[in-house]
Amino acid sequence: MHGYILTLEKTETEEGGGDSPAGGNGDADKYRPSYNKNPQSTSPVLLSQRHFDKDAPVDERVLASMRWGLVPSWFKEDDPSKMRYSTSNCRSENILEKKSYKDPLKKGQRCVILADGFYEWKKQEKGKQPFFIYFPQTQGSSQEKTNLNQDEPTTPARKKKNSETGCPAEEASSDFKERGEAAGDWTGWKLLTMAGLFDCWTPPDGGEPLYSYSVITVNASPNLQSIHDRMPAILDGEEEVRRWLDFGQVKSLDALKLLKSKDILTFHPVSSIVNNTRNNSPECLQPVDLNSKKEPKPTASGKMMMSWLTSSSPSKRKEPNTCERKEERESKVQRKSTGAIQQWIQGTNKKPRVK
């Protein structure tokens, strides 16, 4: 994946400071929505608390603010921007071959990047068409349901024909309309959980340590191959997340077996405004109709997404109030997003802890 991740970012007043990027379970509310992230920006990353406290319970997790683009601990320059190669993404097949990734893997420095979805660009005769890619959103798509009902089958990804034909927005968003909006009980966005590696670099002359990460990628699943040949390594469900983070019991070679191409994501085309990361608003996510030259009308997918982002209750299907203050809208979006993150922090902590 070389696209931009849609996720949250730490508020400026909370960035930096201290030897650890972790802020504990209460740190989730210190993030704000970001609809168009780029490498070198900060993101909330999930990891085991044992990286900072060896006596912590094996299932305790913590949310940490890290820079997207891994800076190896052995990097000798005084400025990470002087790195001559990109580490935003790490190919799964190269992890054991490249020192930048092999060392963190051996140390058990595995993490999970939380995001609503990611953007990817499909090459065309004239330029590139961006797509937003994410978990299918179904009835009760909240993370809590994913955690507590592991026996329920996952929703199948979109049929391959949609991917091969470029899927118009109306068709691409049909799962929202048929499974979510009609039922009226959609409970919130199901976050993507992507496998990653992190490291901690300290400037040669001293100073604040920098925690950074790389998103691990695998070959694209069949339904995404027409868009791009790579995709993030998706950890599907609580058990896979637990095994990836448990660097004590799950050894590196066993953890690598989780990194497989999985045909479980869906997508829709979006506007080219996402090509510029200075454009950072919910409009970036709005589905567009590739077959129409006119300004697209809001689709069922777009309405549901925008309703969740702007309404005071995820279950209410109301349109944004144009008179509502910007600060109030941002606050509501932040509460919804951090709520989903909070559930992943808790994870298996809802069960009896073990030492």
Side-chain angles (χ1 to χ4, degrees):
M1 181 198 67
H2 65 268
Y4 304 133
I5 295 177
L6 167 78
T7 181
L8 301 176
E9 59 187 2
K10 203 89 176 267
T11 55
E12 294 180 2
T13 55
E14 299 295 339
E15 292 180 357
D19 295 334
S20 166
N25 291 357
D27 200 40
D29 61 357
K30 297 175 182 176
Y31 292 84
R32 63 190 175 195
S34 178
Y35 305 94
N36 198 356
K37 296 189 70 64
N38 61 302
Q40 285 78 57
S41 61
T42 58
S43 304
V45 176
L46 196 68
L47 64 159
S48 171
Q49 174 66 9
R50 284 196 172 183
H51 288 292
F52 309 110
D53 179 5
K54 65 179 181 179
D55 297 322
V58 66
D59 60 356
E60 185 171 339
R61 301 168 181 176
V62 66
L63 192 69
S65 178
M66 295 192 187
R67 174 188 184 269
W68 182 13
L70 187 146
V71 180
S73 59
W74 45 262
F75 185 63
K76 301 300 183 183
E77 298 289 346
D78 58 357
D79 186 352
S81 64
K82 295 181 180 180
M83 289 184 60
R84 298 182 179 179
Y85 53 93
S86 173
T87 55
S88 300
N89 302 320
C90 164
R91 299 175 71 94
S92 60
E93 57 269 34
N94 295 339
I95 289 180
L96 297 176
E97 300 175 3
K98 296 189 176 182
K99 183 177 175 62
S100 297
Y101 309 123
K102 184 178 180 180
D103 287 359
L105 181 68
K106 284 185 175 181
K107 298 175 184 177
Q109 293 172 182
R110 309 194 297 256
C111 62
V112 175
I113 297 91
L114 302 172
D116 295 85
F118 64 95
Y119 300 116
E120 193 55 88
W121 284 259
K122 178 180 180 178
K123 293 183 179 180
Q124 297 180 326
E125 292 184 4
K126 296 182 179 180
K128 297 180 179 181
Q129 172 60 47
F131 288 82
F132 179 54
I133 306 172
Y134 48 93
F135 269 137
Q137 305 298 311
T138 61
Q139 299 175 18
S141 283
S142 66
Q143 206 63 55
E144 184 174 0
K145 180 173 181 179
T146 301
N147 290 346
L148 300 181
N149 297 321
Q150 289 299 302
D151 294 334
E152 295 187 8
T154 56
T155 304
R158 190 169 319 288
K159 294 180 180 179
K160 188 175 181 179
K161 68 175 182 179
N162 288 355
S163 175
E164 294 174 339
T165 60
C167 64
E170 291 288 353
E171 181 179 359
S173 61
S174 61
D175 59 336
F176 281 90
K177 185 175 182 179
E178 295 173 1
R179 301 171 187 157
E181 193 168 66
D185 61 354
W186 189 61
T187 55
W189 198 266
K190 179 181 177 183
L191 294 179
L192 277 187
T193 42
M194 299 175 283
L197 294 172
F198 74 92
D199 210 345
C200 179
W201 171 80
T202 302
D205 297 332
E208 293 288 347
L210 173 66
Y211 283 80
S212 56
Y213 70 91
S214 178
V215 178
I216 300 175
T217 66
V218 295
N219 289 326
S221 59
N223 73 321
L224 298 180
Q225 287 175 356
S226 66
I227 299 177
H228 198 268
D229 61 351
R230 304 291 293 184
M231 66 179 289
I234 304 298
L235 300 169
D236 187 19
E238 168 65 28
E239 179 60 18
E240 290 196 3
V241 169
R242 183 195 67 79
R243 289 180 58 79
W244 181 253
L245 294 180
D246 188 358
F247 64 94
Q249 295 296 320
V250 183
K251 302 305 179 184
S252 297
L253 293 180
D254 291 327
L256 290 178
K257 296 177 182 178
L258 296 170
L259 308 179
K260 300 178 181 179
S261 176
K262 299 168 184 174
D263 200 0
I264 56 177
L265 302 182
T266 189
F267 59 90
H268 62 247
V270 294
S271 168
S272 59
I273 63 171
V274 304
N275 295 350
N276 188 333
T277 55
R278 286 179 292 184
N279 298 322
N280 192 346
S281 71
E283 185 181 356
C284 293
L285 309 180
Q286 177 66 44
V288 298
D289 187 348
L290 299 182
N291 295 326
S292 174
K293 296 181 180 180
K294 298 180 181 180
E295 188 70 20
K297 296 180 180 181
T299 62
S301 170
K303 288 180 180 179
M304 177 172 286
M305 188 183 304
M306 294 300 293
S307 176
W308 179 68
L309 290 171
T310 57
S311 66
S312 57
S313 173
S315 62
K316 294 181 180 179
R317 300 293 179 256
K318 67 178 183 180
E319 292 300 311
N321 184 348
T322 56
C323 297
E324 188 176 30
R325 293 175 56 193
K326 177 181 178 181
E327 294 81 0
E328 293 176 349
R329 294 198 301 269
E330 292 179 347
S331 177
K332 291 175 181 178
V333 173
Q334 180 175 335
R335 289 197 299 270
K336 296 174 189 297
S337 302
T338 56
I341 286 181
Q342 189 70 41
Q343 290 168 343
W344 271 117
I345 296 175
Q346 293 172 346
T348 53
N349 293 344
K350 295 179 180 178
K351 304 175 183 179
R353 290 180 173 177
V354 292
K355 287 285 185 178

